Structure formats: structure tokens, C-alpha cells
Amino acid sequence: MANPESSGVAITHVVGARPNFMKMAPVYFALAELGIAQRIVHTGQHYDARMSDVFFEELGLPNPDTNLGVGSGSQAVQTAEVMLRIEPELLTQRPAWLCVYGDVNSTLAATLVASKLGVPIAHVEAGLRSGDWSMPEEINRLVTDRLSQLLFTPSSDADQNLLREGAEPSSIKMVGNCMIDSLVRLLPKASKPRTISTPLEQGAYGLVTLHRPATVDDAATLKGVLAALARLARQLPIVFPVHPRTRANLEAQGFSVDPSIHLVDPVGYLEFLWLQKNARFVVTDSGGVQEETTYLGVPCFTFRDNTERPVTCEHGTNTLVGRNPERLVNEVLAMLGSSSDRKSGRRPALWDGAAAQRIAKIFEPLLRTAESRASRHS
């Protein structure tokens, strides 16, 4: 399904938030090696330089061709602003394909606009499901997959989800995990954070990252998890890079934090990789961290009631503890007290650093066909 009015831009990538950048980078580079014309549209959903600019720099990506500058806002406001601002971009450029990533509001908004304009859509990280309709991300995933013509999945459970929902089998392409591509490429460059004065030795600290509204917007939940972390900090110091949303809630609630929990500003991608690789354990509510710790073989404890990445629990090093502070403490202490010290895990199939090359190989004949059709119409 090529767009006959394409301006010559083969693929427009739309990214808006920190996890999107790591997923898009390897795809961009793999397509660039084939000489395919591309544009990067940054919606500005993550606009803090610590959550955006530094990732483009460390990933080696060029500056976005367009930054829509939508900023923060409610789900409806953010989605609507992206839709309003991306429509002129797509009308002007008319890419042969739109490539979207993950499950953020920017992904849904760009998909809705492209679908109505007749621009074919490829979804990287398709098919993930948590089964939790209270999560805005779940709605974003479902709608994006329904409207996409190419569904690039990271694991076999995603394939099964899509088939069960009636997706066209030929549209489903299991390629592996693009976020792992970025990890594999940049792990040798990972470096200890310069802004953390606390001495950090391998295996001598726990790492925490919490940012989801269900975790940090509810005062009782946030208070409970802080109390649990304080108990764990009696065993090991904890490093906690604080997401801007989380810090705002900590300050608004006036919560005091145990001094053994070292609150630090968000760190760059390379520094966060170093922190993950060398942590004794990780506590998170992030999807991407569940994947990265599985690849790295680091025990991960996910403070959520469900996960759209069950492969990290079934095959990897992830343990889903629910939003249950007591269970979190018990699970981590049990791990620390075990002789093996680590949950046995293995890397899922195709999490090998070559997912983007598989995507590029799938795209290449489709784009050549689009070019041929365009030349016949010119």
C-alpha cells in the first residue's frame, strides 16, 4: 500500500518520548545504510533536555527534521495537539510510510492522522498487551495496531495477541526487540554517572526508576513504595534517578526520603545503562527497563499489577510484584538471601541486536515498489 503522492520521503519516523528514541535509532541507521530517504518528527511530548536532547546526542541521531513542541498536558490535550501539528507535516511531505514506536500518546495521535490521510503505517513494538484497560498505553497499543499495515513484533506472545484479535497474518513480522539493538550497540560506551558522588561498586547498590501515574500520582501508593524502598536501603544503598513527574509529586506531598535512598536527577542513556548493568537489583514500573534487565541478566522487580511484556517474566529476570510494597520487600530480600543471588533467566528469541536489520530488509522491497509506482505516475 504505497502512497502515490509521496514527496520522495520514503519513511517518516514519529517519536515523542524517551523510550521511542532508543527504538527508533537502530531502525534509522539500518535504513540509512540502504540509502533510504527519511525524516524524523519529534512531537516534543518529552521536552525536558534531560529526557530528550541528551538521548539524541548519545544515540548519534541527527537533530529532528521537525519538532512539534507539544509539551505536557492531559491525555486528551497532548493527543489532540500532536494530531493538529502533525497533519500539515504529513500533508506536505506525503511519506511512503509512517513509522511509529511503542505506545505513547504521540504514537496514537500520529497513527490516527496518517490513517485518515491514507499514509501506510508501520508499528514497531506491535502486539504487546497488558490486558489492563485502565492504562492509557493499552488503548494506544490496540488502536495503533488496528490501523497499521505492518506490525513489527518483539516476541512470539505479541504475534499471538495480534492473531487472536484478527490481524492479517501477512502483516505480522516478528523481528525482535529494537531497544535491545541500541543496548547492544552502546553498552561498551556505558559510563558511570558523573553527577553521582556516592561510591558505586558492581553489585553493591539497588537501582530504582518509577514514573507511571498509577505509581507516583497517588499519594498513598507513593508513600507505600517509599517506605518499602527505605527498608531495602537498610540492606543496600539505593540509587533513584527521579523522573520530573515523580519529583513534582514528592515535593507536592512533602514526603521525606530515607537518606540511604540517593535521589538524583535523570541521567543519560549511557549512564543509565551503566547503572542497570552494575546494579544488584532493579525496581521499576517501566516497560523498557524490564526488557533491558532481562538482556543484562539483572534481577528486576516490577511494581505493577500487570505487564505487557510477560516474556520478561516467563523467560527473563523480571518478577511482577504488583503494587504491593510488602511483597516487593519480601521478593527482593528473598533474592538477596538466596545462594544464586539471581533469578534464572534467558534472553528471548531474536533479542540479538539485529532487529532493525530485519525491519530494513522487510521495508526495502516495499519502498522500491513505491518508487517504481511513483515513477510511472510522473
Side-chain angles (χ1 to χ4, degrees):
M1 182 180 175
N3 183 356
E5 299 178 18
S6 173
S7 66
V9 176
I11 294 181
T12 290
H13 305 271
V14 175
V15 291
R18 173 174 173 160
N20 294 166
F21 311 146
M22 284 88 86
K23 296 164 191 170
M24 184 263 287
V27 179
Y28 181 90
F29 295 135
L31 292 169
E33 288 178 3
L34 298 176
I36 291 170
Q38 305 173 76
R39 282 177 66 83
I40 299 174
V41 175
H42 187 343
T43 67
Q45 181 174 329
H46 273 179
Y47 53 90
D48 187 310
R50 296 168 300 177
M51 304 293 288
S52 176
D53 296 358
V54 66
F55 288 88
F56 272 79
E57 293 167 9
E58 291 183 338
L59 291 165
L61 287 165
N63 290 330
D65 295 281
T66 301
N67 191 319
L68 303 181
V70 301
S72 61
S74 69
Q75 296 280 337
V77 168
Q78 204 167 62
T79 303
E81 286 295 333
V82 174
M83 291 180 71
L84 286 169
R85 299 184 193 196
I86 202 169
E87 185 179 49
E89 163 76 19
L90 297 182
L91 283 170
T92 301
Q93 297 297 327
R94 285 283 174 177
W97 283 86
L98 183 81
C99 201
V100 295
Y101 299 81
D103 55 19
V104 299
N105 292 335
S106 297
T107 297
L108 171 65
T111 296
L112 288 169
V113 174
S115 182
K116 293 187 176 186
L117 293 178
V119 177
I121 302 152
H123 184 200
V124 175
E125 200 182 70
L128 299 187
R129 300 290 183 268
S130 69
D132 183 355
W133 283 82
S134 70
M135 293 179 65
E137 294 89 350
E138 185 79 347
I139 297 168
N140 294 348
R141 296 178 200 118
L142 284 156
V143 176
T144 299
D145 285 342
R146 184 65 183 85
L147 296 176
S148 295
Q149 286 70 46
L150 273 177
L151 299 161
F152 294 122
T153 63
S155 49
S156 59
D157 60 295
D159 290 14
Q160 295 306 310
N161 290 336
L162 292 166
L163 290 170
R164 187 169 55 249
E165 293 166 4
E168 175 61 42
S170 63
S171 69
I172 302 170
K173 312 291 184 183
M174 182 172 154
V175 295
N177 192 325
C178 289
M179 182 172 278
I180 299 303
D181 287 19
S182 286
L183 185 154
V184 170
R185 179 171 69 92
L186 292 173
L187 190 59
K189 298 181 180 180
S191 57
K192 181 178 179 181
R194 292 167 294 178
T195 57
I196 299 178
S197 57
T198 305
L200 298 177
E201 297 180 5
Q202 184 174 12
Y205 63 92
L207 176 65
V208 174
T209 169
L210 301 168
H211 74 282
R212 290 187 179 274
T215 309
V216 303
D217 285 2
D218 180 77
T221 301
L222 184 56
K223 184 177 181 180
V225 73
L226 287 174
L229 295 176
R231 291 171 62 186
L232 295 175
R234 297 171 194 162
Q235 305 295 318
L236 281 178
I238 285 177
V239 177
F240 188 172
V242 187
H243 188 283
R245 182 188 197 107
T246 306
R247 187 174 290 280
N249 283 306
L250 288 172
E251 294 173 354
Q253 298 296 332
F255 288 142
S256 60
V257 179
D258 189 285
S260 293
I261 302 173
H262 302 282
L263 301 183
V264 298
D265 288 335
V267 298
Y269 179 60
L270 297 177
E271 292 178 334
F272 192 69
L273 281 184
W274 189 95
L275 288 172
Q276 287 187 94
K277 178 185 176 183
N278 292 290
R280 184 84 164 271
F281 65 87
V282 177
V283 175
T284 191
D285 59 2
S286 162
V289 172
Q290 296 172 53
E291 296 173 327
E292 289 170 338
T293 49
T294 278
Y295 184 88
L296 294 168
V298 174
C300 179
F301 300 88
T302 298
F303 194 76
R304 287 171 50 185
D305 292 327
N306 48 61
T307 179
E308 64 282 357
R309 294 164 170 86
V311 68
T312 63
C313 298
E314 295 162 4
H315 299 291
T317 57
N318 185 27
T319 300
L320 196 65
V321 299
R323 285 183 296 190
N324 185 326
E326 190 65 28
R327 185 180 173 195
L328 171 63
V329 171
N330 292 339
E331 291 279 4
V332 175
L333 291 181
M335 182 276 297
L336 292 175
S338 70
S339 57
S340 66
D341 197 38
R342 291 175 182 265
K343 177 181 177 180
S344 177
R346 59 184 174 84
R347 295 168 183 169
L350 302 185
W351 288 26
D352 56 3
Q357 279 72 32
R358 297 183 189 101
I359 289 174
K361 287 179 181 179
I362 292 167
F363 261 133
E364 186 175 20
L366 298 175
L367 294 169
R368 301 307 179 210
T369 299
E371 288 177 357
S372 175
R373 288 177 180 173
S375 64
R376 289 199 300 269
H377 284 85
S378 62

